[in-house]
Amino acid sequence: QVQLVESGGGLVQAGGSLRLSCAASGSTSRSYAMAWFRQAPGQEREFVAANRQIGATYYADSVRGRFSISRDNAKSTVYLQMNSLKPEDTAVYYCAATNGNSYSSGWYRTKENYNYWGQGTGVTVSS
């Protein structure tokens, strides 16, 4: 069992930066992969970024080069550094974790493969 607690959401101007945090309890960040998904109003939840147990990272094409996922294993915390934010980044961002693993990078982009979810934190980017 894993509990995820998110923080860091808020309002930011286009072109600005924001860092989201996700603290995990009940396990350590080394024992499972963690990811960020987001859901805009009226849209389906979509993959943003993932950090595997071994440290490999994956990004959605829409955020590649702007967002960076990282983890602090000592704090069992995963971060999402968001730079050059655009209005289309506006969404509720969810932290997710899974104790599964796969050789396929696509597996980590699939929301159904995650066992645990945070409550979500809102990010609004104004134009």
Side-chain angles (χ1 to χ4, degrees), residues 33-103:
M34 299 187 71
W36 291 93
F37 289 78
R38 67 186 183 186
Q39 188 167 13
Q43 302 295 313
E44 187 177 7
R45 185 174 51 184
E46 66 175 357
F47 172 78
V48 176
N51 185 292
R52 288 180 62 183
Q53 300 94 322
I54 61 172
T57 58
Y58 309 110
Y59 296 95
D61 291 341
S62 59
V63 307
R64 196 184 311 277
R66 299 188 298 118
F67 290 11
S68 179
I69 187 171
S70 62
R71 64 169 63 192
D72 184 335
N73 289 320
K75 296 182 178 180
S76 296
T77 301
V78 168
Y79 305 94
L80 183 68
Q81 178 65 48
M82 304 184 292
N83 299 321
S84 301
L85 283 162
K86 306 174 181 179
E88 49 263 47
D89 294 318
T90 296
V92 176
Y93 284 70
Y94 298 91
C95 179
T98 179
N99 59 359
N101 67 282
S102 174
Y103 288 104

